[in-house]
Amino acid sequence: MGNRKNKHFVVENQIGELSSLAGKIEKLAEQWGLSPAIAMNINLVVEEALTNVIFYAFADNDKHEIEITVSLENKRLTIKIEDDGIPFNPLEKEQPDINLPAEERPVGGLGIFLMSQVMDEMHYNRQRNHNILTLNKNI
Amino acid sequence: MNIKKEKIGNFAILKIKGRIDTINSTVLEGVVNQLFDSGEKNLIFNCSGMNYISSSGLRVFLVTQKKAIPLNGKLYLCNMQPAIQEIFRISGFSNLFKIFETQEEALEN
């Protein structure tokens, strides 16, 4: 039987939430025996996903909950981020041209690309008026 | 994040410790802008203590390079941890900056 580990976080759509969340993820990674590099990858994915959601997903000024689930099963790491914002499929976002010189590189637009690069797979689903972004990595 | 400023020869050195993320990246940007405003154009970022960077942090480095180029300034990075180096590599940022193993090497260039 699998030794599936699972951790669920719920944060509000406030950018300040990132700081305490980062510490919690580092602690979790340590408890699960993951390397600092993997901890950094998890934090990177969570930060990039959360900043997108917090800055762009909500047209109102209301409080929203964003759910983050990190799980590990047989060396397969899964990060799931779920929000009730406007439909947004990050997989449809145009990839940046990483070969441009500094003068021509546009500022920004790297977040989703970084997420996709540090993980092996990225999936998007729209269900029950929620965006569900799932990323996997074999570690 | 903690930033220590130092001046050695023609270089302003910024020693960065901790995380550069969405919350604090503008602080670093402010420090860099102050240096440019005060006439510095050769910067070394000593990244030995930098253990995390997101796209917001990368953005500050790119914006700094875009400012340094027309000034004919030098923008060097050194002492990067492997995980940070990897982020620079996958984003193509390794090609946008001169990256040195040590601060001494950066100072000699």
Side-chain angles (χ1 to χ4, degrees):
Chain A
M1 281 303 294
N3 48 352
R4 186 186 164 87
K5 293 172 174 137
N6 212 52
K7 182 78 186 177
H8 190 68
F9 302 98
V10 182
V11 298
E12 266 178 34
N13 54 323
Q14 301 287 335
I15 201 67
E17 293 264 29
L18 271 177
S19 308
S20 67
L21 189 59
K24 286 176 194 165
I25 288 173
E26 269 170 35
K27 208 175 268 174
L28 179 74
E30 217 179 292
Q31 282 169 0
W32 288 2
L34 303 174
S35 70
I38 294 293
M40 174 172 164
N41 286 348
I42 300 172
N43 262 324
L44 184 65
V45 167
V46 169
E47 177 182 338
E48 302 296 353
L50 276 188
T51 47
N52 275 339
V53 172
I54 291 169
F55 290 140
Y56 307 114
F58 305 113
D60 54 39
N61 291 318
D62 297 345
K63 265 189 199 171
H64 293 266
E65 283 186 343
I66 306 159
E67 296 185 49
I68 300 140
T69 311
V70 184
S71 45
L72 184 67
E73 187 172 25
N74 300 327
K75 301 215 155 194
R76 186 167 167 84
L77 175 73
T78 303
I79 307 169
K80 193 173 94 176
I81 296 122
E82 186 169 344
D83 68 82
D84 64 346
I86 54 170
F88 175 67
N89 181 354
L91 278 71
E92 286 170 357
K93 191 113 193 317
E94 205 185 318
Q95 302 248 323
D97 181 351
I98 61 164
N99 295 310
L100 290 175
E103 298 94 317
E104 292 165 34
R105 281 272 320 234
V107 174
L110 271 177
I112 293 161
F113 178 74
L114 282 183
M115 290 165 69
S116 69
Q117 294 297 303
V118 299
M119 301 294 283
D120 296 333
E121 297 164 29
M122 180 153 86
H123 306 278
Y124 171 79
N125 257 304
R126 181 83 184 169
Q127 277 174 10
R128 301 168 280 108
N129 288 324
H130 280 62
N131 295 304
I132 303 168
L133 187 64
T134 312
L135 298 103
N136 301 105
K137 185 182 180 75
N138 296 312
I139 58 172
Chain B
M1 179 186 56
N2 178 279
I3 308 167
K4 241 165 84 180
K5 283 191 281 184
E6 214 183 339
K7 174 94 187 183
I8 300 182
N10 291 324
F11 286 97
I13 297 162
L14 292 176
K15 211 166 176 182
I16 301 166
K17 213 176 148 183
R19 301 165 48 88
I20 309 183
D21 59 19
T22 306
I23 292 173
N24 63 26
S25 64
T26 49
V27 175
L28 177 62
E29 195 173 3
V31 171
V32 169
N33 285 340
Q34 264 177 11
L35 286 172
F36 280 128
D37 288 346
S38 64
E40 301 288 350
K41 57 174 191 168
N42 301 318
L43 309 184
I44 295 174
F45 288 87
N46 184 329
C47 306
S48 63
M50 189 169 109
N51 56 14
Y52 177 87
I53 190 164
S54 67
S55 64
S56 305
L58 290 178
R59 189 192 141 275
V60 177
F61 282 97
L62 177 59
V63 168
T64 305
Q65 185 64 295
K66 282 176 183 284
K67 284 181 181 156
I69 289 170
L71 299 171
N72 285 319
K74 293 174 178 174
L75 176 49
Y76 297 161
L77 278 67
C78 66
N79 296 70
M80 292 170 91
Q81 296 181 11
I84 304 289
Q85 238 167 29
E86 178 64 5
I87 299 296
F88 271 71
R89 190 190 64 77
I90 59 182
S91 55
F93 272 46
S94 309
N95 303 321
L96 306 181
F97 306 94
K98 282 199 176 161
I99 299 173
F100 296 92
E101 295 263 315
T102 64
Q103 186 173 304
E104 289 69 35
E105 279 175 68
L107 282 166
E108 284 165 14
N109 279 269

